Amino acid sequence: MRIAVIGGDGTGPEVVNEGLKALKVVAAKVGFEYSLKHFDISGDRYLARGGDPNRQTIPVIEDSEIEELRSFDAIYLGAVGHPKIAPGILEKGVLLRLRFDLDQYINLRPVRLYPGVETPLKDKGPNDIDFIVVRENTEGLYSGAGGFQYKNTPQEVSTQLNVTTRFGAERAIRYAFEVCRRRNSRKKMLTLVHKTNVLTFAGDTWFRAFNEIGQKDYPDIKRDYNHVDACCMWFVKNPEFYDVIVTDNIFGDIITDLAAVIQGGLGVAAGGNINPKGVSMYEPMGGSAPKYTGKNVINPLAGILAGGLMLDNLGEGEAAKAVEDAVVKVISGRLSGLAAGQMGYTTAQVGDMVAEYVG
Ligand code: IPM
Ligand code: MN
């Protein structure tokens, strides 16, 4: 398999580095071959090439790089975000551009509380926090549609359109039903999360698609619906209720940060931007953590787990499991904490331990 590596900004490269250690060991152990190509796509490069930090003046990724990335089996991404560059430039220029151009229409976020990890939820354990969020990843409020009128006047108007298509909702919903069917859970339940009581157009498109598809093609899977605000409440009160969740882009963004916290924080939360028929991209959920950059203190486990998710989706289930098991061993047996600087070990030492347990 050919893997494109984008370390990106801040602590991204450090984290990815530790994931690559685990990859090397697990490939030798399980017996598969791979090659890596590193892409320097980052805020530092943008600035070095003379990009304006306040508005995008030159491309952050070249068109030719996007084309080249299409030819890989997967992309392994560290982090996006630079303290000297205005919000939006790198997010839109790198992360959203890759998601959209490579049509990675699913954002897959497994939420598991591993044994030995502390959750802020009282009286909840690993059996209670184990679900998957399937987030639509290419439309909704992220479409970029909208604009200003009378900008910088007292009459300023801004619109930000929630572009929802039946096609987009349907493919996310089908993917989620499939995830639910394959998942080894007792519940076999898919929950649609939206806000149909207020977003009566976009919500209705999702709701009808969900029920029609479920009724016709997935009668074996129980259907459930939650408003997004109620879902946030249940994540805290009754996370054991959930099995698989499907939701639109912005709601998925918000609820998965909450989900990350109940599973032990950004140090262990990983995700994949999936194009089931194209090239997918795997990343830790945490950002570039500028204040920890280069200090060798950031927790690499989410990045390593993202590598595991990548292996799983590339058909290397055994390797993926070996990586995940090694991470669990390190968490429960070795670390004093999961936050940056609190692990009792450096970033590189944690990566070495995982690699050692993998092998
Ligand atoms: C995420 C991030 C991104 C998003 C940002 C960095 C654009 O928060 O992957 O959840 O909003 O999708
Ligand atoms: Mn987010």
Side-chain angles (χ1 to χ4, degrees):
M1 55 183 84
R2 293 174 64 239
I3 299 170
V5 181
I6 305 175
D9 301 309
T11 51
E14 296 170 53
V15 160
V16 154
N17 219 2
E18 303 312 315
L20 294 177
K21 284 183 190 167
L23 179 65
K24 188 169 179 183
V25 177
V26 82
K29 180 179 168 165
V30 174
F32 63 86
E33 296 198 350
Y34 67 96
S35 66
L36 301 175
K37 178 163 178 181
H38 289 265
F39 287 77
D40 173 25
I41 296 168
S42 65
D44 282 337
R45 183 181 79 168
Y46 175 79
L47 293 176
R49 288 180 170 183
D52 186 327
N54 296 310
R55 65 193 174 90
Q56 195 189 327
T57 46
I58 59 169
V60 191
I61 300 192
E62 301 297 335
D63 292 348
S64 60
E65 287 172 323
I66 299 266
E67 287 318 307
E68 191 182 349
L69 286 167
R70 282 185 205 284
S71 72
F72 285 83
D73 295 304
I75 303 169
Y76 188 34
L77 174 70
V80 172
H82 194 292
K84 295 205 177 96
I85 300 179
I89 296 180
L90 295 175
E91 290 81 354
K92 283 186 166 178
V94 180
L95 193 59
L96 300 186
R97 171 113 197 258
L98 286 169
R99 287 176 182 172
F100 292 3
D101 284 11
L102 301 177
D103 204 21
Q104 294 164 341
Y105 62 84
I106 298 296
N107 197 313
L108 187 65
R109 298 193 162 168
V111 182
R112 270 187 73 188
L113 178 65
Y114 290 116
V117 175
E118 210 176 305
T119 173
L121 300 188
K122 190 162 149 264
D123 301 330
K124 300 292 177 192
N127 288 331
D128 304 308
I129 301 171
D130 184 5
F131 58 93
I132 298 179
V133 179
V134 174
R135 161 185 172 189
E136 199 289 322
N137 210 30
T138 51
E139 47 181 59
L141 279 172
Y142 280 72
S143 69
F148 290 111
Q149 272 176 303
Y150 317 120
K151 193 173 174 183
N152 292 320
T153 74
Q155 289 78 29
E156 178 165 325
V157 177
S158 52
T159 52
Q160 193 91 49
L161 299 182
N162 179 347
V163 177
T164 298
T165 68
R166 171 77 189 213
F167 172 79
E170 185 156 339
R171 63 184 183 171
I173 289 166
R174 285 192 184 279
Y175 187 90
F177 272 118
E178 293 292 334
V179 166
C180 193
R181 195 177 260 172
R182 276 199 308 272
R183 187 170 144 85
N184 198 14
S185 82
R186 270 173 294 120
K187 289 185 199 132
K188 286 272 173 284
M189 179 179 78
L190 180 63
T191 303
L192 170 66
V193 169
H194 211 288
K195 185 75 183 172
T196 55
N197 54 346
V198 175
L199 307 187
T200 52
F201 311 126
D204 195 50
T205 295
W206 274 87
F207 194 74
R208 278 179 290 113
F210 179 64
N211 285 308
E212 286 165 23
I213 293 165
Q215 215 161 45
K216 186 162 169 289
D217 295 333
Y218 301 92
D220 50 317
I221 292 169
K222 194 168 162 235
R223 293 191 302 279
D224 171 53
Y225 171 80
N226 283 180
H227 292 319
V228 62
D229 46 352
C231 168
C232 290
M233 188 179 72
W234 286 95
F235 270 13
V236 174
K237 227 179 136 203
N238 284 87
E240 66 276 14
F241 176 73
Y242 293 102
D243 184 4
V244 180
I245 290 172
V246 64
T247 189
D248 96 328
N249 209 340
I250 190 74
F251 295 145
D253 177 49
I254 296 167
I255 67 172
T256 54
D257 262 32
L258 179 54
V261 162
I262 69 173
Q263 77 178 119
L266 290 174
V268 288
N273 302 273
I274 313 280
N275 175 341
K277 296 212 172 85
V279 54
S280 300
M281 176 167 76
Y282 301 85
E283 54 170 339
M285 262 187 65
S288 57
K291 71 174 175 185
Y292 298 122
T293 302
K295 299 216 157 77
N296 202 11
V297 295
I298 197 78
N299 181 342
L301 294 176
I304 297 172
L305 287 167
L309 203 58
M310 171 169 78
L311 290 171
D312 200 33
N313 279 271
L314 288 171
E316 296 292 342
E318 192 190 329
K321 182 155 190 322
V323 171
E324 193 181 27
D325 288 350
V327 167
V328 172
K329 274 191 203 154
V330 168
I331 290 173
S332 50
R334 310 288 294 270
L335 302 190
S336 52
L338 291 178
Q342 322 243 307
M343 298 182 292
Y345 296 94
T346 65
T347 304
Q349 284 172 330
V350 173
D352 288 340
M353 278 187 241
V354 173
E356 197 182 303
Y357 283 127
V358 167

